[in-house]
Amino acid sequence: MIMKNIELSLNFLYLPLAFCILSMYSCKKESSGNPNNDPTTTSLKITSFAPLGGEVADSVTILGVGFSKTASSNKVAFNGTQATVITATDTSLRVTVPAGASTGKITVTSNNNTGSSDSNFIVGPVVFTLAGGPPLGYQDGTGTTARFSGVCGLAMDASGNLYVTDANNNRIRKVTPAGVVTTFAGDGSTSVMSGPWGVAIDASGNLYVSDMYNNRILKITQVGVITTLAGGTAGNKDGQGTDASFSWPKGLTVDASGNVFVADCNNHRIRKITPAGLVTTVAGTDISGGFVDGDVSVARFNFPSDVAIDASGNLYVTDEFNYRVRKITPAGVVSTFAGAWTYTILNDPLGITIDASGNLYVADISRQIKKISPTGVVTIIAGSGENGYVDGPASLARFNNPYDLAVDASGKVYVTDWSNGAIRVIR
């Protein structure tokens, strides 16, 4: 009887011990099958990613569930091209767009599970905001904390600083490459400038501004000294300095010799101002609604809005209500470079700029940014055509009355987005 009781007691001791041994074995086996201690019972799912598009080497954040916390244990592909995972949690991955990636789904494989994005990641140019944004106002600051009202003309100096005409605020604003916005000239009073519209910069850093409602062209030095280069009354008179007259001068450009060319909008003419302030008419007459190619003495424009110049001295004019970009050679011949009597190609083209390769960039009323090759081929590089304020893939981005442009040496295109009060960048 005593022995039987001893055996029963031993059995009660052995049973918990055996249970512990089995539990330890089970835990060890489970651990060895999941070395990252990841939640294998959670199916992998991609819930979102941002941004919605980008170019090679851009950073993308993928959100979801079921990822591995160990970066190397997640396999991410952009339309089948493997990407590098930089950081990882079980709900977030940060990756870079790989070389060779193309537009398509993002897939993630981890812990023997695979998930795919519902929408495509768009590989290509993107639009982002450098400074400003709704609502309109006046505020210096950095990035989207700054406010503009009526951003219009745009020029870039050799250091990459942008100079913007803030028309409704009657000021010239400066935007650094880092997006820091300051007031460069003007105090808001119409006596200093009223509706500053176009802006251009010469090799010495002097700015030239079309003071539209005052019908004059201003010169502003790098220390902010403002003088009148030409004009000051409404009219269409050629002449010296303030003896000359303009009617709503808009876009302008400067050549290598310091000559300023002006789109004199309501006079339907292109005017030239020498460094000494002598104003002459390059092309056009004051007859409205006209369209004539040919010699500058007979050529007609219909509310020219802006002008750009290439390295050979050819002028390119956005002829707004003729839906065209016109070309004026140094020999005085006017021709149609792009566009026709249909707004499907160019729709009220406004601002224009040119890059080192001779490509033109135009903002028009279709809320799109268009590129015109040296042979006159027109393509859309940004803007869905829908009104709004949306950054992201260039083809999906939305503008609200884009007006003027500048392009840097790397090919980035900067755009003044008038009704959004923003400086946008196409990269």
Side-chain angles (χ1 to χ4, degrees):
M1 186 67 179
I2 295 171
M3 289 297 294
K4 191 172 184 179
N5 289 334
I6 293 171
E7 288 178 3
L8 286 171
S9 299
L10 288 171
N11 285 337
F12 280 114
L13 288 170
Y14 289 148
L15 282 172
L17 182 62
F19 181 78
C20 286
I21 292 172
L22 286 171
S23 296
M24 290 173 64
Y25 177 74
S26 176
C27 289
K28 183 177 180 182
K29 185 174 181 181
E30 185 179 344
S31 177
S32 64
N34 185 15
N36 299 317
N37 295 317
D38 291 317
T40 56
T41 57
T42 303
S43 60
L44 193 152
K45 180 178 177 59
I46 298 174
T47 57
S48 65
F49 58 84
L52 300 178
E55 297 185 303
V56 171
D58 283 353
S59 177
V60 178
T61 298
I62 304 169
L63 301 180
V65 293
F67 304 151
S68 172
K69 295 178 181 178
T70 303
S72 60
S73 295
N74 300 283
K75 305 302 179 186
V76 179
F78 287 72
N79 200 24
T81 302
Q82 293 297 312
T84 299
V85 180
I86 303 169
T87 60
T89 71
D90 55 358
T91 59
S92 175
L93 303 175
R94 189 165 66 89
V95 303
T96 54
V97 180
S102 58
T103 297
K105 298 290 192 294
I106 297 175
T107 58
V108 177
T109 299
S110 182
N111 302 318
N112 296 319
N113 294 316
T114 298
S116 180
S117 62
D118 292 332
S119 58
N120 289 338
F121 179 88
I122 299 175
V123 177
V126 296
V127 174
F128 65 92
T129 299
L130 177 66
L136 305 183
Y138 171 70
Q139 179 66 51
D140 286 337
T142 299
T144 54
T145 67
R147 290 290 175 265
F148 302 87
S149 182
V151 285
C152 188
L154 191 61
M156 176 179 286
D157 69 16
S159 300
N161 297 298
L162 297 171
Y163 295 88
V164 183
T165 55
D166 193 1
N168 293 338
N169 284 321
N170 296 314
R171 291 172 168 92
I172 308 301
R173 314 288 288 279
K174 179 179 179 180
V175 186
T176 70
V180 178
V181 179
T182 54
T183 297
F184 182 75
D187 59 7
S189 66
T190 58
S191 60
V192 177
M193 58 185 71
S194 181
W197 208 260
V199 61
I201 189 166
D202 68 16
S204 300
N206 298 300
L207 299 181
Y208 299 89
V209 174
S210 54
D211 186 8
M212 189 173 70
Y213 298 139
N214 287 324
N215 293 298
R216 62 185 178 182
I217 307 303
L218 303 177
K219 179 179 180 179
I220 309 175
T221 69
Q222 271 298 302
V223 294
V225 177
I226 303 173
T227 55
T228 298
L229 179 65
T233 57
N236 59 14
K237 182 182 178 183
D238 288 339
Q240 182 66 43
T242 56
D243 189 49
S245 57
F246 300 86
S247 183
W248 279 32
K250 288 191 171 181
L252 34 73
T253 192
V254 186
D255 69 12
S257 301
N259 298 298
V260 179
F261 296 88
V262 182
D264 192 3
C265 184
N266 282 5
N267 281 326
H268 313 286
R269 294 175 173 180
I270 306 303
R271 313 287 290 279
K272 175 183 176 181
I273 312 171
T274 68
L278 178 63
V279 179
T280 56
T281 296
V282 174
T285 72
D286 59 356
I287 301 174
S288 63
F291 171 72
V292 176
D293 281 336
D295 187 81
V296 292
S297 61
V298 298
R300 293 186 186 177
F301 301 86
N302 195 359
F303 294 97
S305 183
D306 200 6
V307 60
I309 192 166
D310 68 16
S312 299
N314 297 297
L315 295 172
Y316 298 88
V317 179
T318 46
D319 193 3
E320 185 176 351
F321 292 166
N322 281 326
Y323 310 126
R324 289 169 167 87
V325 171
R326 314 283 290 281
K327 179 179 178 179
I328 307 173
T329 69
V333 177
V334 178
S335 60
T336 296
F337 187 74
W341 281 118
T342 171
Y343 57 79
T344 58
I345 302 172
L346 295 172
N347 187 2
D348 289 4
L350 299 170
I352 189 169
T353 192
I354 189 167
D355 67 18
S357 300
N359 298 297
L360 298 173
Y361 300 86
V362 174
D364 73 16
I365 206 170
S366 66
R367 306 180 187 92
Q368 294 174 318
I369 307 305
K370 296 174 179 178
K371 179 179 179 179
I372 307 176
S373 73
T375 58
V377 177
V378 181
T379 55
I380 299 168
I381 64 166
S384 67
E386 297 181 63
N387 187 47
Y389 178 55
V390 177
D391 284 336
S395 60
L396 303 179
R398 294 187 184 186
F399 299 87
N400 193 352
N401 296 323
Y403 198 91
D404 203 7
L405 319 95
V407 60
D408 68 15
S410 69
K412 292 190 187 75
V413 179
Y414 300 79
V415 182
T416 51
D417 192 358
W418 172 281
S419 296
N420 283 324
I423 310 301
R424 315 283 290 279
V425 184
I426 306 167
R427 176 177 58 82

